[in-house]
């Protein structure tokens, strides 16, 4: 346990040394109403609860993205997400999505909304398959105004993914690169990276 704490604090220190604006297509494993922008390709890696997952998402239209997701040693999924309503000052953003593999379909609707304070954002997800228990996530931007170009834009997150509660940090190193480090209540370490490429 002492080694895990040392690793976590080391990763947090590394994250706080870099640069970037955090907008994420998910809060750890909880989807948001955000999509990969048109003409962009996002490549994600996530380690969470002992499972390695790689995801590729292609922004095909301002309101539609599609991709593939591979659980290492497990299922391969085709993924889609459609934005039905953009987030406004009064109303949350609404998106519908799905993950499809042979013998399994996970469908969801997600609402994302800024919650009063300028840098607090919430997400609620409900659906079928792995989304049937509901999911929720909140992000709080810790340093919305960059004073030093060498310090990343960093957000604190708390997420419930239908199985348990997790929390941690998301940091944007650059417009292309984001990293996540977290811990769930069962004591498991989560870590992830996202790389975005425009074409």
């Amino acid at each position: 346990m002492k080694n895990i704490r040392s690793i976590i604090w080391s990763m947090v220190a590394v994250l706080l040394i870099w640069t970037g604006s955090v907008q994420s297509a998910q809060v750890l494993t909880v989807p948001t109403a955000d999509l990969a922008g048109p003409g962009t390709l996002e490549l994600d890696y996530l380690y969470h609860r002992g499972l390695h997952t790689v995801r590729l998402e292609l922004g095909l239209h301002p309101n539609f993205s599609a991709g593939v997701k591979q659980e290492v040693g497990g299922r391969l999924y085709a993924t889609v997400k459609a934005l039905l309503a953009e987030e406004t000052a009064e109303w949350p953003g609404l998106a519908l999505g799905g993950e499809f593999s042979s013998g399994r379909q996970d469908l969801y609707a997600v609402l994302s909304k800024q919650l009063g304070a300028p840098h607090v954002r919430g997400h609620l997800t409900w659906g079928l398959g792995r989304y049937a228990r509901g999911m929720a996530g909140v992000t709080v931007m810790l340093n919305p105004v960059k004073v030093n170009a060498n310090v990343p834009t960093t957000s604190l997150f708390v997420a419930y993914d239908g199985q348990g509660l997790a929390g941690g940090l998301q940091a944007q190193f650059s417009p292309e690169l984001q990293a996540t480090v977290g811990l769930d209540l069962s004591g498991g370490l989560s870590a992830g990276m996202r790389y975005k490429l425009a074409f």
Side-chain angles (χ1 to χ4, degrees):
M1 189 65 176
K2 193 172 186 179
N3 287 340
I4 291 175
R5 286 188 190 143
S6 298
I7 291 168
I8 292 170
W9 285 115
S10 297
M11 291 177 83
V12 169
V14 168
L15 289 175
L16 294 175
I17 295 172
W18 294 87
T19 90
S21 146
V22 174
Q23 182 180 23
S24 177
Q26 60 188 37
V27 180
L28 200 56
T29 60
V30 177
T32 72
D34 305 320
L35 276 73
T40 62
L41 178 70
E42 291 183 0
L43 178 62
D44 290 354
Y45 164 77
L46 178 65
Y47 174 77
H48 181 62
R49 294 201 177 108
L51 184 65
H52 299 270
T53 305
V54 179
R55 183 183 67 90
L56 183 78
E57 184 177 357
L58 182 62
L60 300 170
H61 181 273
N63 295 341
F64 184 76
S65 64
V68 293
K69 181 176 89 168
Q70 174 70 58
E71 295 172 348
V72 178
R75 295 177 184 268
L76 175 67
Y77 292 87
T79 65
V80 294
K81 190 190 287 187
L83 181 66
L84 300 184
E86 287 195 32
E87 182 177 344
T88 66
E90 297 83 24
W91 297 98
L94 170 64
L96 297 179
E99 300 169 353
F100 307 94
S101 72
S102 60
R104 181 171 178 141
Q105 292 79 41
D106 301 314
L107 306 171
Y108 63 87
V110 56
L111 296 170
S112 294
K113 179 76 173 81
Q114 183 177 315
L115 303 174
H119 309 293
V120 179
R121 198 156 178 245
H123 313 276
L124 289 174
T125 305
W126 200 273
L128 303 172
R130 78 181 190 99
Y131 300 101
R133 290 182 166 176
M135 297 183 173
V138 175
T139 56
V140 180
M141 192 172 287
L142 299 177
N143 58 337
V145 178
K146 292 182 72 167
V147 178
N148 182 337
N150 295 323
V151 177
T153 303
T154 308
S155 292
L156 179 69
F157 72 86
V158 176
Y160 171 74
D161 66 0
Q163 298 180 41
L165 197 61
L169 292 173
Q170 290 180 325
Q172 197 85 27
F173 296 116
S174 69
E176 297 81 25
L177 184 63
Q178 177 183 304
T180 302
V181 63
L183 191 66
D184 66 34
L185 284 185
S186 65
L189 179 67
S190 299
M193 298 289 284
R194 170 174 295 139
Y195 184 74
K196 186 183 295 186
L197 177 67
F199 61 89

